[in-house]
Amino acid sequence: MTKLSGYFYLFAEQGEELSEELITEITLEKILYAISAIALSYLLLVSIQFLTTWSSEKVPRRYRLLIKQSVPFWKGLVLIITISYLINLFLNLSGQNLLALTGTIALTLGFAFKDYTTSIIAGVVALFEAPYHVGDRVKIDEHYGEVTDFGLRGIRLKTPDDDLITIPHSKIFSEAISNSNSGKLEAQVVTNFYFHHEEDTEAIIEILYQAAYSSKYTQLKLPIVVIVSEKSWGTHFKLRAYPMDARDEFIYQTDLTRRSKKAFKQMGLKYPNLTSKFELTDAD
């Protein structure tokens, strides 16, 4: 018998020895109490999700994310109370039993629900390290969107195409996480423009500033910057500005592009003549 097999046998043996003392008498009354507790817990979780979403849209905008970010705390509190009640209902948790039970559960979860357990542990880590909050706009792997829900096992992202993607918390151990606003209401938006080398750079910069300053979505308390870089195929302009609410990111980009192009058309500006020889990269 190998050393590892010996550990398995020891844990299994502990489980058999404790099975009669650990589990209390199971009665119909206890089963009904357990079903009621689970049903009540489910209703509370649904109610928390509904009430926080509803109330966050009713309060002043600066408090919206604060309310949404409290969802993981309330959900975690409900789950801890429910699980503690169920354990107390069916198990006799003396000090010795608790120690042996911890080992048995760790062994079972470690092998049967390895990925699930890793995600739950990562979820606890995420609560403290906070690489993302509800309401943040994040990029994980190739997925980008707004965090709409923070669950026990993972988060839900709402993409620009209105898809909902579930991503396990365990990704924080292996993937780089890009967060655009880190719990704040504003997030910088970059809008790209491209022109021929011969066009008037100063005139284009002036139009972009005017478009940003006059947009109803712009947060004027934060800086607006235009970055210019020369490429082999033309001149690249990046308009960096902040909308008042990060969830307006794509509407804001559309507004800036639409009104800027109107002014560009009036001035008769030429766009670069791109051929198959030149290809834009992600950096462009």
Side-chain angles (χ1 to χ4, degrees), residues 153-212:
R153 191 184 69 85
I155 57 172
R156 281 192 175 181
L157 282 189
K158 186 176 183 180
T159 70
D161 294 328
D162 212 27
D163 295 328
L164 275 179
I165 299 175
T166 301
I167 299 179
H169 291 300
S170 57
K171 286 285 185 183
I172 67 173
F173 294 143
S174 57
E175 301 290 340
I177 297 173
S178 172
N179 192 324
S180 300
N181 53 325
S182 298
K184 297 179 181 175
L185 200 59
E186 304 90 0
Q188 189 183 74
V189 170
V190 179
T191 311
N192 295 293
F193 299 89
Y194 311 95
F195 288 95
H196 196 277
H197 284 301
E198 297 175 355
E199 297 303 337
D200 186 343
T201 302
E202 295 304 319
I204 293 170
I205 291 176
E206 180 62 26
I207 289 173
L208 294 179
Y209 274 118
Q210 289 299 326

Side-chain angles (χ1 to χ4, degrees), residues 81-127:
I81 293 174
T82 305
I83 292 172
S84 300
Y85 176 75
L86 293 176
I87 290 176
N88 188 56
L89 199 61
F90 292 108
L91 301 180
N92 175 24
L93 291 182
S94 64
Q96 185 179 355
N97 282 352
L98 185 62
L99 183 63
L101 182 65
T102 303
T104 305
I105 289 175
L107 180 70
T108 305
L109 293 180
F111 285 89
F113 303 102
K114 181 183 174 184
D115 293 338
Y116 197 88
T117 307
T118 303
S119 289
I120 291 175
I121 293 171
V124 176
V125 173
L127 277 175

Side-chain angles (χ1 to χ4, degrees), residues 15 27 98 181 213 216 224 242 265:
T27 63
L98 185 62
N181 53 325
Y213 278 116
K216 65 178 181 181
I224 298 170
Y242 294 81
K265 188 176 181 181

Side-chain angles (χ1 to χ4, degrees), residues 199-244:
E199 297 303 337
D200 186 343
T201 302
E202 295 304 319
I204 293 170
I205 291 176
E206 180 62 26
I207 289 173
L208 294 179
Y209 274 118
Q210 289 299 326
Y213 278 116
S214 60
S215 173
K216 65 178 181 181
Y217 298 104
T218 301
Q219 174 52 275
L220 296 174
K221 294 179 181 176
L222 296 172
I224 298 170
V225 179
V226 176
I227 306 295
V228 182
S229 59
E230 283 297 308
K231 307 289 182 182
S232 56
W233 41 261
T235 307
H236 181 192
F237 296 80
K238 286 185 179 181
L239 174 57
R240 298 179 179 271
Y242 294 81
M244 288 185 285

Side-chain angles (χ1 to χ4, degrees), residues 3 9 12 15 34 38 59 63 67 85 101 103 156 200 209 214-215 223 235 249 251 254 284:
K3 189 176 181 180
Y9 177 76
I38 293 171
V59 299
Y63 299 123
I67 291 176
Y85 176 75
L101 182 65
R156 281 192 175 181
D200 186 343
Y209 274 118
S214 60
S215 173
T235 307
E249 174 183 357
I251 297 175
T254 302
D284 298 327

